[in-house]
Amino acid sequence: MNEKTTVLLAEDEIALGTIIQESLESRDFKVILCSNGEIAWEKYKSEQPEVLVLDVMMPKKDGFTLAEQIRKIDPFTPIIFLTSKGQTEDVVKGFGHGGNDYVRKPFSMEELIVRIHAQLDRRQLKNQQSDWLPIGKFEFHPTRQLLKFEENETPLTARETQLLQILLENQNDISDRSLILTKIWGNDDFFNARSMDVFITKLRKKLQKDPEIQILNIRGYGYKLVC
């Protein structure tokens, strides 16, 4: 990249924060490391980072509170939470406070870097939502909730649109089943999982005019849109 992407990293464990900073800088990111939420808030306002990586448990201002504060003035900059908490209710709380992704400690640096790149790609995709997005021989318009094949347009429901958008953002990669359920349905319980399976079936039927498009069920992980 010609111009370095700025990552604001808020992590109160100095040793871990330094490791993350050095790893990201070795991948050509510019990293602003903050040791607590209050410093991170001030740096966010002055530096305007492209991505925020926030530890949940921090002194002075925790990650959830900081994210909520940022979301009042900035609905778009991607926020990735770092946490040792693994309960579903914590994940739901994180998304409820404006998070885009959730990385559980301990994690590999490769995982974090991949997730940062994924959020940057998704933001770029969202910036193009006024346009038709290609899916094989189809075109998809998220804002208008439409699928188009040749000259024929097919309306989508709000949940079909959300689900297809997540699959498209992760095209040819696995979309995590639990994260989809949490983002769209609010939690990943059995009944919501069955509901999502129904919506996946509906999308498959609507996309079947192009045999090159597949929505694969990756057992134990999630779904993959291949086209």
Side-chain angles (χ1 to χ4, degrees):
M1 37 180 92
N2 295 327
E3 206 169 304
K4 292 185 178 183
T5 298
T6 301
V7 178
L8 189 150
L9 170 63
E11 172 57 68
D12 66 314
E13 294 181 44
I14 301 303
L16 176 59
T18 301
I19 291 170
I20 296 172
Q21 180 181 25
E22 292 175 351
S23 297
L24 291 177
E25 287 176 344
S26 72
R27 302 299 183 92
D28 216 24
F29 288 97
K30 175 185 175 182
V31 181
I32 302 165
L33 176 59
C34 307
S35 59
N36 65 59
E38 285 188 359
I39 296 173
W41 170 240
E42 295 303 320
K43 288 293 184 181
Y44 163 77
K45 291 186 292 183
S46 63
E47 299 292 336
Q48 298 182 328
E50 283 94 344
V51 183
L52 300 153
V53 179
L54 309 179
D55 184 33
V56 170
M57 301 299 293
M58 290 188 293
K60 298 187 178 181
K61 194 190 298 288
D62 64 77
F64 288 157
T65 302
L66 176 58
E68 191 171 35
Q69 192 172 8
I70 288 169
R71 282 293 178 248
K72 290 178 180 178
I73 60 173
D74 176 2
F76 302 114
T77 302
I79 296 175
I80 300 173
F81 287 119
L82 302 179
T83 182
S84 55
K85 295 184 175 182
Q87 298 298 318
T88 299
E89 56 265 30
D90 295 317
V91 177
V92 173
K93 185 177 180 181
F95 286 125
H97 283 77
N100 299 95
D101 204 352
Y102 215 94
V103 180
R104 293 180 176 88
K105 298 178 181 177
F107 57 87
S108 72
M109 282 308 307
E110 289 301 320
E111 177 187 3
L112 179 59
I113 289 166
V114 165
R115 289 178 182 268
I116 289 172
H117 280 300
Q119 290 303 322
L120 291 170
D121 291 344
R122 289 169 189 172
R123 184 175 183 183
Q124 183 177 2
L125 183 60
K126 287 176 182 177
N127 290 338
Q128 300 170 347
Q129 281 187 359
S130 59
D131 301 323
W132 289 94
L133 305 175
I135 305 178
K137 295 178 182 177
F138 282 85
E139 291 180 284
F140 171 45
H141 203 302
T143 307
R144 294 171 58 191
Q145 296 183 193
L146 290 173
L147 263 182
K148 183 163 70 174
F149 185 82
E150 296 175 346
E151 298 304 316
N152 299 315
E153 294 184 354
T154 302
L156 300 173
T157 66
R159 279 192 170 163
E160 285 173 340
T161 300
Q162 288 178 288
L163 183 53
L164 184 55
Q165 190 167 1
I166 291 173
L167 293 171
L168 181 58
E169 288 171 354
N170 294 289
Q171 183 177 337
N172 298 318
D173 199 358
I174 298 173
S175 297
D176 185 274
R177 184 181 183 87
S178 179
L179 290 182
I180 295 173
L181 287 166
T182 301
K183 281 190 172 184
I184 299 179
W185 277 268
N187 65 65
D188 61 353
D189 66 25
F190 172 79
F191 298 102
N192 287 334
R194 292 296 298 272
S195 175
M196 182 173 69
D197 291 339
V198 171
F199 277 92
I200 289 288
T201 299
K202 289 180 178 179
L203 285 177
R204 284 175 175 146
K205 288 181 179 178
K206 291 183 176 181
L207 294 165
Q208 65 185 358
K209 290 181 181 178
D210 184 351
E212 298 297 317
I213 299 175
Q214 298 181 74
I215 301 177
L216 304 178
N217 182 5
I218 311 301
R219 189 172 298 278
Y221 294 96
Y223 292 98
K224 180 190 287 189
L225 174 66
V226 178
C227 60

